[in-house]
Amino acid sequence: MMAKLTTFERLYRAATKYLPPRYAARIDHMRPAYRASWGGPLNGQVQRQALVRQIFRVIDFDEVIETGTFRGTTTEFFGYLSGLPVHSMETVERFHAYAVQRCETLPNVEIAHEDSRTALRRLAARPDNRRTFFYLDAHWQEDVPRHEELRIIHARWSEAVVMIDDFEVPGDEGYGVALYGGHRLTAEYLPALPGWRRFYPSTHSDAETGARRGCIVLATEALARRLDAVPLLVPVDRPAVAAA
Ligand SMILES: C[S@@+](CC[C@H](N)C(=O)[O-])C[C@H]1O[C@@H](n2cnc3c(N)ncnc32)[C@H](O)[C@@H]1O
């Protein structure tokens, strides 16, 4: 989802490149276009935002974890929407500094300058069992952490809903998909996640706004039953109803 750079953008980046990241981030804050990455939270996708609101209406989460903060547009959205503890993490120091400055008035938001896998292991090591909404969006580097992130979450969290951005929505080519090492981000890419179920957005890409990226939603069994009631989701594999 990398747009072609304008001449101004190239000059701006060259002029600020050698500043200490937190000073560069302060200057970045003066640029309104940087505030709304791809038009707003969740890639500026109004239907995706509505989908997240529906999920939060049917499930009482304890916290939100986002991997890949960038400039904190979606982090801030989760902070206001949920009022819950929100943990986000970012490896690029300048983006991290920008997002921390952006969210400094939100006491429930914590943004770590950390690799997503290290951060997930740190959060997984806490003693309690939290019902968690995950938004997995850390990429752009050669090394894409998605598989390992999913393995860590699957091994530790017994109540989780995981939304993965930039994912293929089968049968709807209008949604953008990320390429990881030359491979499209599709269901075949996922590690085995026994006991979890899969959902896709029910909104056709024509009715979506913003960057129109696809997503998949994965859920542990008990929470998946609640997602069956979310109109903006289509279940892939609804379990058979047990005979009375
Ligand atoms: C697509 S952007 C995230 C957008 C953000 N979630 C939003 O909705 O505005 C991906 C971000 O992930 C970061 N990133 C890449 N690999 C990472 C990793 N292993 N751990 C944490 N962040 C990572 C990149 O530096 C980049 O800022």
Side-chain angles (χ1 to χ4, degrees):
M1 214 177 5
M2 292 289 203
K4 199 162 170 271
L5 297 184
T6 61
T7 307
F8 175 79
E9 185 62 35
R10 274 204 306 278
L11 290 172
Y12 177 80
R13 288 191 190 188
T16 55
K17 190 172 169 179
Y18 296 105
L19 290 173
R22 70 196 162 98
Y23 294 122
R26 285 249 169 251
I27 300 171
D28 290 343
H29 271 283
M30 295 172 196
R31 301 196 57 196
Y34 276 6
R35 223 176 149 72
S37 328
W38 309 287
L42 301 160
N43 315 322
Q45 296 180 210
V46 167
Q47 292 298 320
R48 174 91 68 89
Q49 293 164 12
L51 164 58
V52 167
R53 286 197 183 90
Q54 287 188 356
I55 294 174
F56 276 72
R57 236 171 265 142
V58 297
I59 299 174
D60 268 340
F61 291 103
D62 296 317
E63 70 181 8
V64 177
I65 299 178
E66 173 193 36
T67 69
T69 317
F70 189 41
R71 296 201 177 98
T73 312
T74 301
T75 322
E76 184 182 52
F77 169 82
F78 284 130
Y80 280 119
L81 171 79
S82 69
L84 298 170
V86 176
H87 299 272
S88 187
M89 66 260 359
E90 170 61 53
T91 45
V92 176
E93 204 178 344
R94 180 165 171 175
F95 296 152
H96 171 258
Y98 182 101
V100 167
Q101 288 162 20
R102 175 183 199 147
C103 295
E104 63 195 359
T105 56
L106 283 169
N108 53 326
V109 172
E110 181 201 80
I111 304 170
H113 178 215
E114 203 173 16
D115 178 86
S116 60
R117 292 153 288 197
T118 313
L120 285 173
R121 286 197 191 94
R122 172 173 59 78
L123 294 167
R126 297 170 300 171
D128 43 355
N129 200 9
R130 298 174 201 208
R131 186 179 291 159
T132 305
F133 181 86
F134 291 89
Y135 184 58
L136 304 188
D137 200 16
H139 55 115
W140 291 355
Q141 270 55 299
E142 285 276 301
D143 161 38
V144 177
R146 200 64 71 251
H147 251 238
E148 226 174 313
E149 289 173 352
L150 285 167
R151 285 211 193 90
I152 297 166
I153 297 165
H154 186 263
R156 173 65 178 88
W157 273 267
S158 57
E159 292 194 288
V161 172
V162 179
M163 177 179 274
I164 307 178
D165 190 29
D166 295 311
F167 210 91
E168 178 191 63
V169 178
D172 191 339
E173 292 296 317
Y175 277 118
V177 180
L179 286 177
Y180 286 179
H183 299 288
R184 279 164 67 80
L185 190 49
T186 68
E188 287 69 51
Y189 178 90
L190 297 173
L193 299 166
W196 285 24
R197 286 176 51 212
R198 291 179 286 155
F199 299 79
Y200 289 103
S202 62
T203 303
H204 192 272
S205 55
D206 287 346
E208 184 55 285
T209 62
R212 288 198 298 151
R213 308 296 290 179
C215 75
I216 189 170
V217 176
L218 309 165
T220 49
E221 182 50 44
L223 298 186
R225 280 198 288 276
R226 296 195 214 171
L227 294 188
D228 285 329
V230 168
L232 287 175
L233 280 179
V234 178
V236 174
D237 34 18
R238 198 189 290 270
V241 178

